[in-house]
Amino acid sequence: MTVTDEVLTLHNLTESEYQKILAILKREPTITELGIFSVMWSEHCSYKSSRVHLRRLPTKGPAVLQGPGENAGIIDIGDGLAVAFKIESHNHPSFIEPFQGAATGVGGILRDIFTMGARPIAAMNSLRFGPLDKQQNKRILEGVVGGIAFYGNCFGVPTVGGEIYLADCYSQNPLVNAFALGIFEKDKIFYGRASGLGNPVIYVGAKTGRDGIHGATMASAGFGEDAGAKRPNVQIGDPFMEKLLLEACLETMHKGLIVGIQDMGAAGLTCSSCEMGARAGTGVELDLDYVPQRESGMTAYEIMLSESQERMLLVAEKAKEKEVFEVFHKWGLDAVTVGRVTSDGLLRVRHHGQVVAEIPNGALADEAPLYQRPLLPPKATLSSRLDDHSFLDGCPPALIETFLSESNDWNKLLKLTVASPNLCSRRWAWQQYDHMVQSNTVVGPGSDAAVIRVKGTKKALALTLDGPAYRVARNPREGAKMAVAEACRNIVCSGGRPVAATNCLNFGNPEHPEVMWQFSEVVDGMAEACSFFFTPITGGNVSFYNETFGGDIYPTPVLGMVGLIEDISFVTRSSFKKAGDSIVLIEPVTRRVGKVDLEDERAVQNLVASAIRDRLVESAHDLSEGGLAIAVAECCYSNVERAAIGAEITIPSHLEVRKDLFGEFSSRVLLTTRKVAELRQRAEQMGLTFHNLGKVGGNRLILNYESVKLVDISTDELESAWSGGLPKLLS
């Protein structure tokens, strides 16, 4: 074939990359080979701009059984059990087709979990959209939430938490990051490796269609006027078929019928086959005539690049091929031998009797271009105007001006704040998700972290997603450290010990030096904080080219943290528990905004962890967006077990009223206790500041500033403003 500049552009390959392909093959590629290289060397699959930086992240620890490089990371939680978890992005598809883009994002991350041998028991999501005064952003948000609910609910996995954040930079490029976690016996881990010469390579699951072709390539380029034309690149998902696929895969695993398994996710049959071969140091030979197809006349190029959903590639032992077929046919799924494992290290593809591709597996999986792109600090940064009150980012200008004005109507200001876009209740979304299915959920959406019981033990798992995008945009390194610190704090406040994390690093165009500087700074900040808190990164995803018409999104690292609660009786909620409990604020001696002192943070977390363990704490809630006033309000009305409960506190004067009420200082925790003296003594011994603010009780929230009553409002009125904020924005 003749490869023109136009053909290379269509495949998102540069001239130098094409020359490297010629050097590897020692000839011109076929069109199928060019397509295979284009998806495997795409940014999405090869991490060609990020690999040099990702190496600096800590990935090992005493609990880590599997780090980056497989479908999901795995940690040991004791009692012979392990947990597999990961987060992935599905940003571009969710802009083009919100419902299906988000739905298939959920499907993909679930397959990443059960391909390791684990049964998924929890899902979460981190979502970013533009302001909801634009109809397009409303449509995208409603479609994304609907797609997540559809797939998760039908599949039967509880969606137990997450976050929704609104800001202008996401108007043309929403972010949809899906997290999933599964549990299994630690001696029954399966890997994506094509081992055993002559072993059959078996295709299982749904039939292959033309949907999703070049999905990985699409995710490796920005958007412009042609965004709508990329709709065919979005896959279509079927959660009911995925549920069947889960059960069939787990059954073949438990029966010992397979030696390797890989999800056909990004780049479909191409990625699964060549990566399995590369990991095992073997070759894979495929005959596409046997691939189940739901459309007629598909070319080899289309079959190899299709990203049709609910498909897996297995390698079985030769003698057990028939048994594999019987299991999948019992579940009503296709199962067909489409190839075999070879010794030559090549991905060899046949179609209609012709060899249409013959490429070294290593060249596809391990020899993709590696770029050390230029780094340059941005000439202009976000204004510092909202540093004390980052929740205002993404709010209508009129609301920002009202909040920052000299208004002294604090009741009105508090109601306005709790109903603002980034602080109002996400209940509208959570109510669409089934978060109780499987009966493992101890704490669902709305607390600092979700909590899932580990059946058969007294243990539980605490899960949280955190991504302070505004803080990262202001200072990438410090913002990344804050993301790690807040994730750990959320786990600790829920009664757990942070163990490990997965990350989804969402950034703009890596060909922009400013974006790569942000990326490098985030990696260094995250590496420093994760090393400090002994929470290694077990895997994740990098999503570049989040730009539209040349405008990059905020640098948006999202961290999924998993913690272990040794005894389920340690589980602690954020909501106030009982009238008469004392409300105390724990914070470092020095207050910081936009930065975190890791030693101070560790002291706060150690205090909270020990106090929970020694039964000194009734509730715990970390202070983040909106500061003290918002944290107290959330503790009043976030109670899921009973009606909202009031409180009266007196705020010690430090700065000025607005900052003391709503200032977003780092490393602070709000606790309730019935043992004030013991808790105070412990805090002071650890060098922390202890404020006894007031009491829980009544049906009003009263905030005093020294001797002046600033806020006196019924909790019902406040909760109504909070819970109605998002529906009002969407109406």
Side-chain angles (χ1 to χ4, degrees):
M1 63 169 289
T2 302
V3 177
T4 63
D5 290 343
E6 184 180 2
V7 170
L8 289 181
T9 300
L10 180 65
H11 288 81
N12 210 22
L13 290 165
T14 66
E15 177 61 33
S16 63
E17 289 169 348
Y18 180 62
Q19 292 303 317
K20 185 172 182 177
I21 292 171
L22 294 178
I24 290 169
L25 297 178
K26 298 181 175 57
R27 57 176 170 78
E28 287 195 342
T30 66
I31 185 60
T32 301
E33 289 172 330
L34 191 69
I36 288 171
F37 272 108
S38 76
V39 291
M40 290 305 300
W41 284 10
S42 67
E43 192 72 60
H44 186 78
C45 290
S46 73
Y47 295 82
K48 58 190 176 186
S49 298
S50 59
R51 294 203 314 270
V52 294
H53 301 286
L54 295 175
R55 293 167 182 165
R56 304 199 295 271
L57 290 170
T59 59
K60 297 179 180 178
V64 176
L65 299 176
Q66 175 64 54
E70 272 286 346
N71 291 290
I74 303 174
I75 57 172
D76 187 338
I77 61 169
D79 294 316
L81 297 175
V83 164
F85 64 101
K86 193 182 182 185
I87 188 170
E88 282 270 5
S89 65
H90 228 228
N91 303 335
H92 284 48
S94 300
F95 173 71
I96 297 169
E97 214 324 299
F99 185 95
Q100 290 295 346
T104 52
V106 174
I109 197 64
L110 291 171
R111 289 194 301 279
D112 281 342
I113 300 305
F114 70 77
T115 192
M116 303 298 295
R119 179 175 292 275
I121 62 170
M124 299 191 294
N125 52 77
S126 175
L127 312 177
R128 300 288 194 279
F129 306 100
L132 299 181
D133 57 351
K134 295 182 174 67
Q135 190 61 39
Q136 181 191 38
N137 294 333
K138 292 182 185 180
R139 177 186 64 80
I140 293 173
L141 186 153
E142 290 170 345
V144 164
V145 170
I148 290 169
F150 163 72
Y151 208 101
N153 295 353
C154 294
F155 179 84
V157 63
T159 301
V160 295
E163 58 177 2
I164 296 175
Y165 184 87
L166 307 176
D168 287 324
C169 70
Y170 304 112
S171 280
Q172 299 291 324
N173 203 124
L175 301 184
V176 176
N177 292 180
F179 169 100
L181 175 143
I183 192 165
F184 57 161
E185 295 175 32
K186 72 175 185 179
D187 60 350
K188 295 182 179 178
I189 300 171
F190 284 80
Y191 297 100
R193 296 170 187 168
S195 303
L197 299 183
N199 276 342
V201 176
I202 302 174
Y203 172 117
V204 300
K207 290 179 169 59
T208 295
R210 289 188 170 93
D211 55 318
I213 294 172
H214 271 301
T217 308
M218 176 190 67
S220 306
F223 280 142
E225 297 288 355
D226 62 341
K230 296 181 179 180
R231 190 174 301 272
N233 297 138
V234 180
Q235 312 96 315
I236 306 297
D238 182 345
F240 299 106
M241 181 167 284
E242 178 129 326
K243 174 64 173 172
L244 299 175
L245 186 62
L246 161 74
E247 300 300 343
C249 286
L250 292 184
E251 184 175 335
T252 56
M253 292 169 173
H254 294 161
K255 288 183 174 180
L257 303 180
I258 60 176
V259 296
I261 180 170
Q262 174 95 344
D263 164 39
M264 287 193 225
L269 186 55
T270 287
C271 188
S272 54
S273 55
C274 72
E275 285 190 351
M276 289 180 79
R279 291 192 191 113
T282 60
V284 172
E285 185 170 288
L286 300 175
D287 190 331
L288 302 186
D289 293 347
Y290 296 104
V291 172
Q293 299 164 48
R294 67 169 184 263
E295 300 182 49
S296 61
M298 290 188 71
T299 65
Y301 180 99
E302 292 172 326
I303 295 170
M304 289 301 293
L305 270 60
S306 169
E307 294 182 11
S308 294
Q309 296 290 286
E310 292 85 43
R311 303 179 301 158
M312 299 285 236
L313 201 64
L314 316 181
V315 174
E317 294 183 14
K318 281 180 277 190
K320 298 178 179 178
E321 202 170 357
K322 183 180 177 183
E323 292 178 75
V324 171
F325 295 160
E326 289 174 351
V327 171
F328 280 89
H329 292 161
K330 181 187 76 173
W331 289 98
L333 298 171
D334 281 317
V336 181
T337 297
V338 295
R340 62 187 181 90
V341 179
T342 65
S343 61
D344 57 15
L346 298 176
L347 172 64
R348 183 177 294 105
V349 182
R350 299 180 186 277
H351 192 220
H352 299 330
Q354 301 292 317
V355 175
V356 294
E358 194 171 76
I359 310 170
N361 276 322
L364 295 170
D366 304 319
E367 297 177 28
L370 182 62
Y371 295 130
Q372 179 74 63
R373 296 193 184 275
L375 312 178
L376 185 67
K379 295 178 181 178
T381 59
L382 285 179
S383 166
S384 61
R385 186 171 183 238
L386 304 183
D387 276 2
D388 291 324
H389 315 292
S390 70
F391 72 89
L392 291 171
D393 183 47
C395 289
L399 190 153
I400 296 174
E401 296 308 319
T402 299
F403 181 87
L404 296 177
S405 71
E406 296 303 314
S407 169
N408 290 321
D409 187 343
W410 299 103
N411 276 5
K412 177 182 177 182
L413 206 59
L414 183 58
K415 282 181 62 178
L416 190 70
T417 303
V418 300
S420 62
N422 287 320
L423 292 180
C424 64
S425 170
R426 274 38 181 158
R427 190 178 292 160
W428 174 89
W430 297 336
Q431 286 179 331
Q432 298 182 53
Y433 307 148
D434 186 341
H435 56 269
M436 297 304 294
V437 65
Q438 297 188 23
S439 70
N440 296 318
T441 306
V442 179
V443 179
S447 198
D448 284 354
V451 177
I452 300 291
R453 69 170 49 84
V454 180
K455 287 180 178 175
T457 76
K458 65 177 182 179
K459 296 177 178 177
L461 299 168
L463 321 173
T464 186
L465 286 183
D466 285 285
Y470 173 87
R471 296 294 181 197
V472 178
R474 286 284 292 129
N475 186 326
R477 186 182 295 246
E478 290 297 329
K481 289 162 62 176
M482 291 180 71
V484 176
E486 182 174 352
C488 290
R489 197 183 322 128
N490 284 334
I491 297 293
V492 169
C493 284
S494 299
R497 172 178 58 85
V499 177
T502 178
N503 60 16
C504 196
L505 306 179
N506 306 273
F507 285 77
N509 189 332
E511 297 164 42
H512 299 166
E514 297 83 0
V515 168
M516 287 311 302
W517 178 84
Q518 292 170 335
F519 187 85
S520 178
E521 289 289 294
V522 162
V523 168
D524 285 341
M526 190 170 287
E528 179 184 352
C530 284
S531 297
F532 186 87
F533 292 113
F534 304 105
T535 53
I537 302 293
T538 62
N541 173 226
V542 175
S543 176
F544 275 134
Y545 292 99
N546 290 290
E547 61 160 352
T548 302
F549 302 115
D552 296 308
I553 62 161
Y554 287 163
T556 312
V558 174
L559 197 76
M561 185 75 73
V562 176
L564 182 63
I565 301 175
E566 294 288 353
D567 189 321
I568 203 165
S569 67
F570 292 154
V571 172
T572 307
R573 298 178 185 271
S574 62
S575 53
F576 290 151
K577 196 169 183 181
K578 186 178 180 182
D581 289 350
S582 294
I583 304 167
V584 302
L585 173 66
I586 306 294
E587 63 180 346
V589 173
T590 303
R591 287 181 164 184
R592 293 176 174 83
V593 173
K595 291 186 177 182
V596 60
D597 182 292
L598 297 181
E599 292 288 354
D600 283 348
E601 180 69 37
R602 179 153 60 190
V604 170
Q605 291 184 24
N606 285 345
L607 170 71
V608 175
S610 67
I612 289 174
R613 185 180 62 246
D614 294 338
R615 315 293 182 180
L616 303 181
V617 171
E618 301 301 319
S619 70
H621 186 27
D622 87 307
L623 276 70
S624 52
E625 290 84 2
L628 179 59
I630 296 302
V632 175
E634 289 172 343
C635 292
C636 289
Y637 51 60
S638 65
N639 201 316
V640 296
E641 296 176 338
R642 59 184 73 87
I645 188 170
E648 181 171 358
I649 69 169
T650 298
I651 299 171
S653 173
H654 286 284
L655 304 164
E656 50 93 358
V657 180
R658 203 173 313 270
K659 283 187 179 181
D660 281 329
L661 278 175
F662 300 104
E664 297 172 352
F665 303 103
S666 300
S667 306
R668 300 201 295 171
V669 174
L670 198 68
L671 305 176
T672 56
T673 183
R674 295 165 196 169
K675 299 179 180 179
V676 175
E678 293 177 58
L679 197 55
R680 181 193 297 275
Q681 181 181 29
R682 187 170 300 195
E684 291 174 350
Q685 287 174 345
M686 299 178 76
L688 297 169
T689 301
F690 180 98
H691 303 287
N692 189 354
L693 300 179
K695 299 278 188 180
V696 176
N699 59 6
R700 304 186 71 79
L701 176 58
I702 300 172
L703 304 181
N704 302 306
Y705 193 73
E706 295 184 307
S707 59
V708 179
K709 183 181 290 185
L710 294 183
V711 171
D712 186 349
I713 188 171
S714 78
T715 51
D716 286 345
E717 184 179 353
L718 201 59
E719 183 177 26
S720 178
W722 172 73
S723 60
L726 188 54
K728 185 176 180 180
L729 289 169
L730 289 168
S731 65

